[in-house]
Structure formats: structure tokens, C-alpha cells
Amino acid sequence: MTAVANLRPFGRRLFPALLLIIMAPLLSACGFNTIPTQEEQVKAAWSEVLNQYQRRTDLIPNLVETVKGYAAHEKDTLTDVVEARAKATQVQVTPDMLNNPELFKQFQQNQANLSGALSRLLAVVENYPDLKANQNFLALQSQLEGTENRIAIARRDYIEAVRVYNTSLQTMPTMLWRLIWFRDKQPLPTFTIDEAAQQAPKVNFNN
């Protein structure tokens, strides 16, 4: 009897583990993992957006200094870029940003303002042939152009990841898992600023 009694606690501990092993494939097959998996995909896509925006931010000081060497009297335009860059870096980027619509909107707007300031700066460069021929500027131009393309791709991938995730929260059968298990999951924000405000700066000076 003592041996049997000693086995009972072990059996009570073993049963939940066995149940989990049996249930795991069933839960996976019926979409239990869909919501958390898609949420991680959204976070990964958002990280790439931030990475590319940071890449652009890092290019700007050298770009401003290079332009200043040839067009120092374009003070207002240069100041606009510096100030827009400062505002774009003021927003505290945290993992919770996607769950804070106001912070997310502010981040978007600051990046759009920086895009606009860069566009104006690069338009001014058209008036300085020597600057357009400067090798350092040409290298920065190429890097900025590539970064703007990467930003566009990263934003597109993020928007698509959010679309898939938000759809799962509102459609069957994954909607049931949200109601039963993932009650704290809410639709995530996407880019909503007018497309005209988010256009990449024109950086082609070959014409």
C-alpha cells in the first residue's frame, strides 16, 4: 500500500504533462498557434521598419555637413532637416509602441516630416553643380536612395503582416482562440498618413 501511495503524487504530476503532449498537436492543427505566430511576424516586420528609418537617420549628419560645405547660405533648409531629424529621434521607441496608437501616429508623422525636409534639401542641391559632382555627396546620394527603397519595402511588409494578423483576430476559426485564450490581443496599427506625405525624397540628379 505504501508503494502505491507513493506513486500517486507522481501520477498526478505526470498526467498534466501527458495531457499537454497529447493536446499540443491538436491545438496546433486547429489554429491555436496562429495568433502568437502572426504577432511575432508583425514585430519582426516592425523591427525592420525601425532599422531602415535608423539607417536614414544616421546618414543625415554627413549629408547636411556635405551640403553645408557648398551651400552654407541655405541655412533655413539645412536647419529644417536638422530639426526634423531631432524630432524623429525624440519619440521613445519601445516594444509597446505598437499598442499605443498615439505614440505610433506621432512616430509616423515625425518620419513623414523628415522625408519632406530631405526632399526640400535635395531640391536645393540642384542649384549647385559642384556639389552634385562631389564624390562624397554622390556616395551619400546612393546610400540615401537605397535606404529610401528599403524603407518602402519594410513598410510594405509591415502593412501586410498587420493585415494578416488583424484579419486573424476577426475571422474564424482563429477568432475563437482570441475569445477563449488571447483576450488581451488587439488589432495593431498600420501606416495611415497620406501617401503624398510619405513619398521618398527624390535623389536622382542625373537629369
Side-chain angles (χ1 to χ4, degrees):
M1 289 293 293
T2 303
V4 173
N6 290 337
L7 286 174
R8 286 175 181 168
F10 177 75
R12 285 196 294 269
R13 292 193 299 270
L14 182 61
F15 179 74
L18 290 174
L19 184 61
L20 181 61
I21 292 172
I22 295 171
M23 291 295 295
L26 297 176
L27 291 175
S28 178
C30 64
F32 178 80
N33 291 330
T34 299
I35 290 176
T37 298
Q38 291 176 350
E39 184 180 31
E40 290 305 312
Q41 290 170 344
V42 170
K43 290 178 181 178
W46 177 240
S47 294
E48 183 60 18
V49 171
L50 297 180
N51 181 47
Q52 297 307 329
Y53 273 133
Q54 184 61 51
R55 185 189 188 97
R56 181 175 71 173
T57 299
D58 292 342
L59 285 172
I60 290 173
N62 286 337
L63 179 67
V64 169
E65 287 303 313
T66 300
V67 173
K68 188 185 297 183
Y70 288 80
H73 60 281
E74 301 286 355
K75 183 178 178 181
D76 291 344
T77 305
L78 291 165
T79 299
D80 286 347
V81 173
V82 173
E83 291 180 350
R85 179 184 185 273
K87 288 182 179 179
T89 57
Q90 281 177 357
V91 176
Q92 186 67 33
V93 178
T94 68
D96 295 331
M97 175 181 283
L98 294 180
N99 297 313
N100 187 328
E102 289 302 316
L103 189 61
F104 185 86
K105 183 177 180 180
Q106 182 183 352
F107 176 84
Q108 289 185 78
Q109 187 62 60
N110 288 346
Q111 293 296 337
N113 290 341
L114 180 54
S115 292
L118 278 172
S119 292
R120 291 188 292 275
L121 175 64
L122 295 172
V124 164
V125 170
E126 285 291 330
N127 299 321
Y128 300 90
D130 290 343
L131 172 57
K132 290 173 17 176
N134 177 272
Q135 291 302 310
N136 186 39
F137 178 79
L138 289 175
L140 288 169
Q141 168 196 337
S142 178
Q143 292 178 57
L144 181 60
E145 184 177 33
T147 299
E148 292 294 345
N149 289 336
R150 292 187 185 96
I151 288 173
I153 292 171
R155 281 164 46 91
R156 181 199 65 193
D157 292 346
Y158 169 77
I159 290 170
E160 176 61 14
V162 169
R163 184 194 68 78
V164 172
Y165 174 76
N166 288 350
T167 300
S168 290
L169 295 183
Q170 302 172 66
T171 56
M172 297 288 285
T174 44
M175 183 174 68
L176 292 177
W177 288 116
R178 181 192 181 191
L179 296 173
I180 297 170
W181 196 272
F182 302 108
R183 296 180 181 177
D184 61 327
K185 303 302 181 184
Q186 299 296 324
L188 294 175
T190 189
F191 290 98
T192 55
I193 292 178
D194 183 76
E195 284 299 316
Q198 281 288 348
Q199 287 181 357
K202 304 301 182 182
V203 294
N204 184 4
F205 303 115
N206 296 323
N207 297 326

